[in-house]
Amino acid sequence: MTRNGPYLKCSAIHVATGVEVSALGPAAEPKGLERIAIAKLKRALATR
């Protein structure tokens, strides 16, 4: 996670395939942002 002012950027990478996704959201909700990034990664892997 990287903080940029009031926002966080959470990146999730699947090591075996190198697929990377990221999600942006408010810095007050890091756990929710992590869940979103993981869900996006799962969707990206399902379409491969």
Side-chain angles (χ1 to χ4, degrees):
M1 290 196 188
T2 304
R3 186 175 179 138
N4 186 5
Y7 300 101
L8 279 178
K9 178 181 180 183
C10 181
S11 297
I13 303 167
H14 187 259
V15 177
T17 61
V19 174
E20 180 179 359
V21 298
S22 63
L24 294 171
E29 293 292 332
K31 290 293 182 185
L33 193 57
E34 184 178 329
R35 281 194 311 270
I36 292 169
I38 291 170
K40 283 179 75 173
L41 182 59
K42 288 179 180 178
R43 278 195 311 268
L45 291 173
T47 61
R48 292 187 123 230

